[in-house]
Amino acid sequence: MYNNVGTQSGVPIPPTNSQPNPFGNAFYGASSGLIRGGLGAYGEKFLGSSSEYVQSNISRYFSDPQYYFQVNDQYVWNKLKVVLFPFLHRGHWTRITEPVGGRLSYKPPIYDINAPDLYIPLMAFGTYVVLAGFSLGLHGKFSPEALNWLFIKGLLGWFLQVALLKVTLLSLGSGEAPLLDIVAYAGYTFTGMCLAVLGKLVWGYSYYFLMPWTCLCMGIFLVKTMKRVLFAELRSYDSSKHHYLLLFIALAQLPLFIWLGNISVNWLL
């Protein structure tokens, strides 16, 4: 009644494919190997070029953050003297280069006094906030909210300084300076601010001497830095335009310092 031939013992079941293709496996292996090899080579080339592009642009615009914290006590002391007394700096203002990986790279701050760092700006910014809060406490105006506003005010002042330097470079046709370099140079503003606010706490009238002094020193420092370091990478040079921009950077320090030096509850004033 039923066909039970396939289930009987000793009777083999005929194969379903009676005509195998001897070239099928060979073609499949060759084609899959070619596809894997081609895609692998293309993917490696694409990923390699893209990673190289991303790495080059990151190093070009942001640099390595660890670079800006390679400092020691001697560097910090000498850098503070350069920032607070720039006219006493008898050495050159250009950065020192060294060959690394077949191309020139700048030496870290520990080996170059003209290299920017982020250690001093961050420490100075924190000190500025603490001194500002202490000043509010002496006048009976301290509160956590006021301290938060002073923190935001300091960050905004730092951002305005960065924007000033960045716009100056862009107006000259060069915005290729690493962003962290500009952030570091702008952050040195708080070294002078700390000195001015500390003098105001010790003796109120000293503020009217220290504020113009630190403002003038910061202007000289930025002019020297912009002229010898940042402007050195420009493709074209227009002396009259550069001089006007450098003068504008120096003059812009006065309202910025006055605004940051005004320690009050209303941070907009």
Side-chain angles (χ1 to χ4, degrees), residues 98-111:
E98 61 179 353
V100 177
R103 62 179 182 178
L104 291 179
S105 179
Y106 291 117
K107 285 191 174 183
I110 193 173
Y111 301 114

Side-chain angles (χ1 to χ4, degrees), residues 68-69 71-73 75-77 80 117-132 151 155 158 183-184 186-195:
Y68 300 91
F69 294 94
V71 300
N72 55 11
D73 295 340
Y75 167 82
V76 172
W77 175 250
L80 288 176
D117 73 282
L118 287 174
Y119 175 80
I120 294 178
L122 289 176
M123 292 297 103
F125 176 78
T127 305
Y128 163 77
V129 175
V130 172
L131 291 176
F151 180 82
L155 286 181
W158 199 341
V183 172
Y188 292 125
T189 302
F190 295 99
T191 58
M193 286 305 310
C194 290
L195 182 62

Side-chain angles (χ1 to χ4, degrees), residues 164-165 167-175 219 222-251:
L164 173 65
L165 301 181
V167 169
T168 302
L169 290 176
L170 290 175
S171 64
L172 294 172
S174 175
L222 287 180
V223 166
K224 292 289 188 180
T225 301
M226 294 289 288
K227 186 176 181 180
R228 300 300 182 184
V229 178
L230 299 180
F231 285 2
E233 300 180 358
L234 297 178
R235 298 185 180 92
S236 60
Y237 183 80
D238 185 359
S239 59
S240 60
K241 186 176 182 180
H242 284 200
H243 291 162
Y244 283 122
L245 288 175
L246 290 175
L247 179 61
F248 175 74
I249 291 175
L251 294 178

Side-chain angles (χ1 to χ4, degrees), residues 20-28:
N21 185 4
F23 302 100
N25 293 333
F27 284 156
Y28 176 76

